[in-house]
Amino acid sequence: TLTDAVYSVELVAFNQFNCTDTVRKSVRVYPKPRAAITANKASVCEPDTVSFTNGSQLNLTNFWSFGDGATDTTNATLLKHEYQNKGSIPVTRTVQLFVESAQGCRDTAVTNVVVNPEIIADFTGGPLAGCHVLRSDFFDNSKGAAQYAWSFGDGQLDTKPNPVHFFTNTGIIDSSYTIRLIAGSQYGC
């Protein structure tokens, strides 16, 4: 329960002459607070923000540790934290919420957030100008990419990391195309 428990302790003392005396005292035991946290995401792609809900009970003070060196002492019910991962593999951040009641009783809740590495789409290619039919070679320079979705601006698509594309212009005015690369990681980012 979340209320104080009161116990009555009684001592009856006897001596060798059969004399007795009784003493009664109360013992009060305070309830332990219940630390509880939930995260709106268990896995994120860098950079991303995770929202944490503090569902604790009997907590007068809170101390948050986000597993990446950042801390907070807010008593807010909803708390947001942004995670980074500039590395090349996922990292697990252990989030801890330490709570304390008005009587000094403590509890801790723990959850984990997997932070997947950042992915940066980038490419080079060319030539980027020339006569009909223009052959252009494109080269992936992305960081952390494992999947590719190329759009060449002329309705043509490709999923290779280093595609070759042929641009056409059968008209009498210059044509211009915007090339777009969407890169995805092996972690779904």
Side-chain angles (χ1 to χ4, degrees):
T1 68
L2 296 177
T3 60
D4 296 356
V6 179
Y7 300 93
S8 182
V9 179
E10 179 179 282
L11 172 64
V12 179
F14 298 88
N15 69 10
Q16 66 215 25
F17 305 109
N18 258 350
C19 298
T20 63
D21 191 24
T22 303
V23 63
R24 288 182 189 96
K25 299 217 178 195
S26 294
V27 175
R28 181 175 300 270
V29 179
Y30 302 118
K32 182 178 178 180
R34 294 185 182 158
I37 55 176
T38 55
N40 70 328
K41 301 172 190 171
S43 180
V44 296
C45 297
E46 194 279 345
D48 201 356
T49 299
V50 177
S51 295
F52 297 98
T53 301
N54 182 349
S56 303
Q57 295 177 306
L58 298 178
N59 52 315
L60 178 66
T61 62
N62 302 294
F63 180 83
W64 292 85
S65 174
F66 296 103
D68 59 0
T71 60
D72 203 320
T73 57
T74 184
N75 283 334
T77 303
L78 183 64
L79 187 63
K80 295 181 179 186
H81 184 71
E82 183 177 286
Y83 284 98
Q84 305 283 326
N85 180 358
K86 303 296 183 191
S88 60
I89 60 171
V91 294
T92 300
R93 301 297 185 197
T94 300
V95 181
Q96 297 175 301
L97 172 59
F98 304 92
V99 299
E100 186 173 321
S101 69
Q103 295 79 21
C105 304
R106 297 178 179 162
D107 194 25
T108 303
V110 177
T111 191
N112 290 319
V113 175
V114 175
V115 184
N116 292 301
E118 76 174 334
I119 182 167
I120 299 173
D122 189 24
F123 68 90
T124 57
L128 298 178
C131 299
H132 168 80
V133 170
L134 175 65
R135 174 194 164 126
S136 292
D137 296 282
F138 295 96
F139 305 97
D140 170 53
N141 294 330
S142 301
K143 177 185 175 193
Q147 294 131 11
Y148 308 90
W150 293 86
S151 171
F152 298 103
D154 59 2
Q156 299 298 308
L157 307 172
D158 204 322
T159 57
K160 296 176 189 148
N162 300 308
V164 174
H165 188 72
F166 295 90
F167 293 94
T168 62
N169 183 355
T170 57
I172 57 172
I173 60 171
D174 292 347
S175 294
S176 181
Y177 302 98
T178 300
I179 303 148
R180 181 177 179 198
L181 169 61
I182 299 174
S185 76
Q186 68 189 39
Y187 309 108
C189 299

